[in-house]
Amino acid sequence: MEEYSLKLDYYGLLNLHKALLEAKFHTAPDNKLISGSPIIANIYIQIRDLLIENDRENEWRDWFQLSNRLDRRNQAIFLMKKCKHWSKATPDKKCEIVSNYLAPFFFDDEELKSLIAEVDKFFEEERF
């Protein structure tokens, strides 16, 4: 597959980050597939990494910690509760789903398990 590259300065990168943040975590999106898209997640992780590489590395690393962005965590949970594939997903697939919805944020295994448990609980309660 052919690869493309963009030539962005810091402010172009910053604005792309803002646009993706809005698109991925909007709780009433026009396109519901964007939030959990593995392609968008991968692109956004690349943008995160480029932002971290600049002279404000520590500020960006802190900004991208999920524990510092509870608003985005809650928005992702809201969106995951609408995921049509969740109920039939294997544990590994659930990890992948959560990672895609939460990209570009950093989180540890405990946070991942907690998020999976929270969404599982929602779907269990919906069955009854």
Side-chain angles (χ1 to χ4, degrees):
M1 179 181 278
E2 190 172 343
E3 289 190 20
Y4 300 92
S5 63
L6 295 172
K7 295 201 183 297
L8 298 172
D9 65 7
Y10 176 79
Y11 294 102
L13 196 60
L14 181 62
N15 281 284
L16 185 53
H17 153 65
K18 290 176 184 180
L20 282 172
L21 188 66
E22 180 71 19
K24 277 190 57 66
F25 294 93
H26 196 292
T27 54
D30 285 335
N31 184 333
K32 295 174 177 40
L33 300 177
I34 288 177
S35 296
S37 166
I39 294 169
I40 300 295
N42 179 277
I43 291 167
Y44 204 174
I45 287 168
Q46 291 176 61
I47 292 164
R48 174 201 67 197
D49 292 347
L50 288 170
L51 286 168
I52 289 172
E53 287 177 11
N54 81 48
D55 60 344
R56 296 172 52 194
E57 176 183 349
N58 290 335
E59 287 177 51
W60 278 117
R61 205 170 278 289
D62 287 344
W63 196 93
F64 282 112
Q65 288 296 323
L66 183 63
S67 59
N68 295 333
R69 306 260 62 102
L70 295 180
D71 54 338
R72 301 304 179 185
R73 179 189 185 279
N74 293 336
Q75 289 166 318
I77 290 170
F78 176 84
L79 293 163
M80 281 186 272
K81 288 177 179 178
K82 297 179 182 208
C83 178
K84 295 177 182 175
H85 308 292
W86 188 271
S87 296
K88 295 180 181 179
T90 64
D92 287 343
K93 185 65 177 172
K94 288 179 181 179
C95 289
E96 186 180 322
I97 291 169
V98 170
S99 295
N100 288 334
Y101 273 90
L102 290 174
F105 295 104
F106 295 114
F107 50 91
D108 61 25
D109 287 341
E110 288 303 313
E111 288 172 299
L112 179 65
K113 289 176 190 174
S114 171
L115 288 158
I116 291 171
E118 191 168 340
V119 178
D120 275 342
K121 182 179 178 188
F122 169 80
F123 278 98
E124 287 172 16
E125 291 172 354
E126 286 295 301
R127 282 191 297 182
F128 297 108

